[in-house]
Amino acid sequence: MSIAVWIEGAETLLHSQSPLRDITITAPSIRTMIGLPLFLLASGIQNDCHTYLASLPKYTLPDHPIFHTMVCPHYAAECVIYLSLAILGAPDGAWINQTVFTALVFVTCNLAVTASTTKDWYITKFGKEKVEYRWRMIPFVF
């Protein structure tokens, strides 16, 4: 993804005599007011999930409230982080940066497979009754 963003951004940099001179401070856009809070919230949730998971004894079923509804809430948070970056990195006149959005699709598919196998492992290890009511990654969807 970083190479794709560099390639897309290179044209902009090449058309400017001095990129630093082109920087102006303006009021936040709607994209910023949507993307930044999403990024901060999802990053905080993901950090809380990872901190909690790191504190568990090995091979323990998570019992934190956020894990009561999802098997992998930290995966959902990761997807929201990518979505917020796609919104924040959108070029003028667009709502989404297509390169970052493509990365979001890839990450979502990748994490969905992992979340599915994690739920299957939980069922094998802890029993179906402990996790059958939990969504894998995205509440009400998957």
Tab-separated table of all heavy atoms in Angstrom, residues 44-56 64 67 74:
chain	number	residue	atom	x	y	z
A	44	GLY	N	-8.293	3.473	20.058
A	44	GLY	CA	-8.452	3.247	21.502
A	44	GLY	C	-9.055	1.889	21.802
A	44	GLY	O	-8.586	1.178	22.705
A	45	ILE	N	-10.084	1.515	21.047
A	45	ILE	CA	-10.713	0.204	21.246
A	45	ILE	C	-9.725	-0.913	20.934
A	45	ILE	O	-9.605	-1.883	21.689
A	45	ILE	CB	-11.990	0.073	20.390
A	45	ILE	CG1	-13.078	0.997	20.943
A	45	ILE	CG2	-12.470	-1.371	20.334
A	45	ILE	CD1	-14.301	1.127	20.061
A	46	GLN	N	-9.002	-0.764	19.829
A	46	GLN	CA	-8.027	-1.793	19.467
A	46	GLN	C	-6.936	-1.911	20.535
A	46	GLN	O	-6.553	-3.019	20.919
A	46	GLN	CB	-7.410	-1.482	18.108
A	46	GLN	CG	-6.489	-2.587	17.618
A	46	GLN	CD	-5.837	-2.255	16.303
A	46	GLN	OE1	-5.331	-1.152	16.137
A	46	GLN	NE2	-5.853	-3.204	15.386
A	47	ASN	N	-6.469	-0.791	21.052
A	47	ASN	CA	-5.462	-0.817	22.104
A	47	ASN	C	-5.999	-1.501	23.362
A	47	ASN	O	-5.300	-2.322	23.978
A	47	ASN	CB	-4.990	0.600	22.427
A	47	ASN	CG	-3.930	0.602	23.505
A	47	ASN	OD1	-2.876	0.002	23.348
A	47	ASN	ND2	-4.214	1.267	24.603
A	48	ASP	N	-7.218	-1.160	23.746
A	48	ASP	CA	-7.824	-1.794	24.924
A	48	ASP	C	-7.947	-3.307	24.733
A	48	ASP	O	-7.659	-4.080	25.655
A	48	ASP	CB	-9.205	-1.203	25.218
A	48	ASP	CG	-9.138	0.208	25.775
A	48	ASP	OD1	-8.035	0.662	26.154
A	48	ASP	OD2	-10.193	0.878	25.806
A	49	CYS	N	-8.376	-3.724	23.548
A	49	CYS	CA	-8.508	-5.156	23.258
A	49	CYS	C	-7.157	-5.863	23.341
A	49	CYS	O	-7.034	-6.923	23.960
A	49	CYS	CB	-9.112	-5.386	21.876
A	49	CYS	SG	-10.842	-4.937	21.738
A	50	HIS	N	-6.146	-5.272	22.722
A	50	HIS	CA	-4.827	-5.898	22.731
A	50	HIS	C	-4.229	-5.929	24.131
A	50	HIS	O	-3.609	-6.928	24.527
A	50	HIS	CB	-3.888	-5.173	21.769
A	50	HIS	CG	-4.173	-5.481	20.342
A	50	HIS	ND1	-3.747	-4.670	19.321
A	50	HIS	CD2	-4.847	-6.492	19.748
A	50	HIS	CE1	-4.140	-5.181	18.164
A	50	HIS	NE2	-4.816	-6.284	18.408
A	51	THR	N	-4.428	-4.867	24.899
A	51	THR	CA	-3.937	-4.840	26.280
A	51	THR	C	-4.617	-5.928	27.098
A	51	THR	O	-3.963	-6.646	27.867
A	51	THR	CB	-4.178	-3.451	26.905
A	51	THR	OG1	-3.511	-2.468	26.109
A	51	THR	CG2	-3.669	-3.386	28.325
A	52	TYR	N	-5.915	-6.058	26.926
A	52	TYR	CA	-6.658	-7.095	27.653
A	52	TYR	C	-6.206	-8.494	27.236
A	52	TYR	O	-5.945	-9.351	28.082
A	52	TYR	CB	-8.168	-6.939	27.423
A	52	TYR	CG	-8.954	-8.072	28.003
A	52	TYR	CD1	-9.117	-8.205	29.374
A	52	TYR	CD2	-9.512	-9.044	27.167
A	52	TYR	CE1	-9.823	-9.270	29.907
A	52	TYR	CE2	-10.217	-10.106	27.699
A	52	TYR	CZ	-10.370	-10.209	29.063
A	52	TYR	OH	-11.061	-11.272	29.604
A	53	LEU	N	-6.108	-8.734	25.936
A	53	LEU	CA	-5.692	-10.055	25.453
A	53	LEU	C	-4.295	-10.412	25.938
A	53	LEU	O	-4.028	-11.567	26.290
A	53	LEU	CB	-5.753	-10.116	23.926
A	53	LEU	CG	-7.146	-10.143	23.319
A	53	LEU	CD1	-7.063	-9.981	21.804
A	53	LEU	CD2	-7.886	-11.417	23.685
A	54	ALA	N	-3.407	-9.431	25.992
A	54	ALA	CA	-2.041	-9.685	26.464
A	54	ALA	C	-2.008	-10.039	27.946
A	54	ALA	O	-1.081	-10.717	28.400
A	54	ALA	CB	-1.162	-8.470	26.195
A	55	SER	N	-3.019	-9.611	28.700
A	55	SER	CA	-3.048	-9.883	30.139
A	55	SER	C	-3.624	-11.258	30.471
A	55	SER	O	-3.509	-11.711	31.611
A	55	SER	CB	-3.862	-8.808	30.862
A	55	SER	OG	-5.258	-8.982	30.622
A	56	LEU	N	-4.240	-11.914	29.493
A	56	LEU	CA	-4.873	-13.213	29.742
A	56	LEU	C	-3.841	-14.339	29.824
A	56	LEU	O	-2.836	-14.306	29.121
A	56	LEU	CB	-5.851	-13.553	28.616
A	56	LEU	CG	-7.142	-12.755	28.519
A	56	LEU	CD1	-7.911	-13.165	27.276
A	56	LEU	CD2	-7.988	-12.959	29.753
A	64	HIS	N	-13.872	-10.113	28.755
A	64	HIS	CA	-14.075	-8.661	28.785
A	64	HIS	C	-15.410	-8.343	28.102
A	64	HIS	O	-15.784	-9.007	27.139
A	64	HIS	CB	-12.911	-7.988	28.055
A	64	HIS	CG	-12.900	-6.501	28.168
A	64	HIS	ND1	-13.703	-5.688	27.401
A	64	HIS	CD2	-12.168	-5.676	28.952
A	64	HIS	CE1	-13.479	-4.434	27.707
A	64	HIS	NE2	-12.547	-4.386	28.641
A	67	PHE	N	-15.820	-8.424	24.354
A	67	PHE	CA	-15.723	-9.748	23.745
A	67	PHE	C	-16.997	-10.573	23.935
A	67	PHE	O	-17.084	-11.677	23.421
A	67	PHE	CB	-14.516	-10.516	24.311
A	67	PHE	CG	-13.198	-10.006	23.815
A	67	PHE	CD1	-12.535	-8.993	24.488
A	67	PHE	CD2	-12.614	-10.535	22.672
A	67	PHE	CE1	-11.319	-8.513	24.035
A	67	PHE	CE2	-11.400	-10.065	22.211
A	67	PHE	CZ	-10.747	-9.049	22.896
A	74	HIS	N	-11.085	-6.545	18.111
A	74	HIS	CA	-9.884	-5.822	17.680
A	74	HIS	C	-9.741	-5.861	16.159
A	74	HIS	O	-9.181	-4.942	15.565
A	74	HIS	CB	-8.637	-6.375	18.371
A	74	HIS	CG	-8.486	-7.857	18.323
A	74	HIS	ND1	-9.435	-8.725	18.810
A	74	HIS	CD2	-7.490	-8.629	17.843
A	74	HIS	CE1	-9.026	-9.964	18.636
A	74	HIS	NE2	-7.849	-9.933	18.037
